Amino acid sequence: MRAPNTPIWNKPRFRDFTGGENLQVLPEFIAPNEVQKAFNCVITPEGLLETRLGRTKVNTTSLGAGPIISAHRYSKENGTRYLVVQHGTSLYAKSWDGSTPFAAFPVAVKTGLTASKKLRSIIWKDKLILTNGTDQAFTFDGTTCVDVAAIPKCKALYLYAGRLWCVDEATGFLENSNLEDYTNWTGTGSYKVRDGDGDKITALCPLPGGMVIAKKNSLQTLYGTNPGATGNISIDEPFSKHIGVIGVDAMLAEGVFMGRDNLYGFGLNSINPVKPTHTPLLTSLTAAERAVVFAIPHPADRRALFQLPTADKRCLCVDEQHGGAITSWYDLNAACFAVCDDSDDSGALLIGDATNGYVYSYSGGTDDGSAITSRIKTAYIDHNSTSLKEWSSYIPEMESLDTTATYRFYHGYDVDYQTYGGMLTSSFKQNLLTWGVDKWGTAVWGNGSKFNDPLFMHDARGNRISFETVCYNRIGFNGFTTKYRNVGADI
């Protein structure tokens, strides 16, 4: 028989995941609305977790082996819209509505590009203007590509105060075009942004009222609209002296960038860390890896994506509607992104494949026919206790403790989910931090166990627990109930 005074079941309910994923190692840093892992998940407006959408081919015939180096959405004033992609040493263009798949791209509109040098573009004066820092910048009008010798060789172009701006690759100077004229860059003045620190400009970001100048270790602001000797351009001292932007593609005008240790929100003279949840991952990147991170905003879903060059090809999905909460996407195999963001466009997110010459749209329930694997691992649960604890010597909160008996905690989970067609496989794994003689054995973990039933019981010593669910199809993870009790030893 069981010992007397056995406590009844406690049943806290968890349905709020608006904090997203938290990669911090210590469980006391994980908030109640966060999870340790949100693998291939998004956060719904209601704060629940849901498997991301899949990848669907846009061009059903590959451009050949090798990555889609860059992709661009070009909308003309007459309403014609093009998908423009860079593959190998050529540029291809196709008139496209933004949603209907097509068989193949026509012949290249430009050849002879330097291999692996990514083109970045801007639409101005009804032209798509492209540059990669090595080849001469050129325009595309839907039919013809024309080199523009006046544009300095630069990695990217930015539109601010009626002029194009760039960082000259040869000098590192900040240059600008004549007013409303991208073919003339004379007489406007160059700006040598302080470089005594040896830190070159990595990116520019025009904002209302000024333009942020980013280096790897600092941020400062350019004000004014009229360059030249008699103009009113001024560049303030850095407002961020230790945090900057890691690369040319890691800063978004929507107000977020990736630094060497975190994601940051910013304005003309302000900077704030988004969340500390992924600092361990970002600080593990090498300088070379940080330099090639690329980002894209996806306004239709109020998210931004930051693709990392890690071995697992992790993409951080930053959710604007939940204050920058992050989930991790895998298996996109992305070399670049683009968005169909014209006023009459579909809003689709486009993914340039890293190996096989395809462009994909973010849509559908599978990754081009392959099941999407999603994993959700909960944070540690400590009997719903909110009291402060010294984690290295925390005493379990048990009732009627008999030190001569063996006591056990019983844990049960009731998981609430919904599927979106097809097969669902759920495997639940529990990790139990076990109790030692007088304190938690912080390196001692119980063996993982798999359960095919989403409602299960586990009998173990200890009272800190987490669980992981793995699904091989799209799933809505609507919450879970954790049930626990501590009971005396059988007599």
Side-chain angles (χ1 to χ4, degrees), residues 77-94:
E77 292 175 358
N78 64 10
T80 307
R81 291 166 288 175
Y82 296 88
L83 174 58
V84 182
V85 301
Q86 177 187 3
H87 182 266
T89 59
S90 299
L91 190 71
Y92 300 84
K94 168 74 175 176

Side-chain angles (χ1 to χ4, degrees), residues 280-353:
L281 171 65
L282 300 184
T283 54
S284 72
L285 299 177
T286 66
E289 288 172 332
R290 294 184 188 119
V292 295
V293 169
F294 58 92
I296 190 78
H298 189 203
D301 285 351
R302 297 180 63 189
R303 300 185 182 112
L305 300 179
F306 285 81
Q307 180 65 54
L308 311 186
T310 52
D312 58 13
K313 298 180 180 179
R314 184 181 311 211
C315 181
L316 300 184
C317 174
V318 185
D319 203 310
E320 175 194 347
Q321 63 187 334
H322 295 301
I326 300 171
T327 56
S328 293
W329 292 7
Y330 300 79
D331 307 318
L332 290 182
N333 198 36
C336 63
F337 295 121
V339 176
C340 297
D341 58 357
D342 183 68
S343 58
D344 296 322
D345 224 330
S346 66
L349 171 68
L350 305 179
I351 305 161
D353 193 84

Side-chain angles (χ1 to χ4, degrees), residues 106-265:
V107 297
V109 296
K110 187 174 180 63
T111 59
L113 296 169
T114 301
S116 301
K117 292 296 182 179
K118 180 178 181 178
L119 289 168
R120 298 171 183 88
S121 65
I122 190 169
I123 299 174
W124 198 38
K125 302 296 182 181
D126 209 26
K127 299 286 199 304
L128 183 70
I129 310 175
L130 304 104
T131 184
N132 62 13
T134 300
D135 301 316
Q136 185 58 59
F138 61 95
T139 62
F140 175 62
D141 63 3
T143 305
T144 306
C145 292
V146 177
D147 287 354
V148 184
I151 300 178
K153 290 185 178 180
C154 55
K155 290 181 179 178
L157 291 162
Y158 307 86
L159 180 60
Y160 169 67
R163 305 171 189 268
L164 287 185
W165 293 71
C166 74
V167 180
D168 191 320
E169 279 291 285
T171 64
F173 292 0
L174 194 57
E175 305 284 356
N176 54 89
S177 73
N178 280 17
L179 187 64
E180 301 294 334
D181 185 1
Y182 64 82
T183 67
N184 192 337
W185 292 63
T186 60
T188 58
S190 299
Y191 298 88
K192 182 179 181 181
V193 181
R194 49 180 292 178
D195 61 356
D197 54 7
D199 196 8
K200 294 183 178 179
I201 298 173
T202 52
L204 302 175
C205 188
L207 295 172
M211 181 165 60
V212 175
I213 302 170
K215 294 184 176 183
K216 290 183 179 179
N217 296 297
S218 64
L219 298 175
Q220 54 199 118
T221 307
L222 178 149
Y223 293 101
T225 58
N226 299 316
T230 60
N232 62 354
I233 295 293
S234 64
I235 300 176
D236 280 3
E237 289 292 304
F239 61 86
S240 168
K241 295 185 178 180
H242 303 289
I243 299 169
V245 178
I246 56 178
V248 62
D249 296 315
M251 189 176 204
L252 300 177
E254 286 69 20
V256 63
F257 71 84
M258 183 174 286
R260 65 178 180 271
D261 64 346
N262 206 353
L263 294 173
Y264 292 89

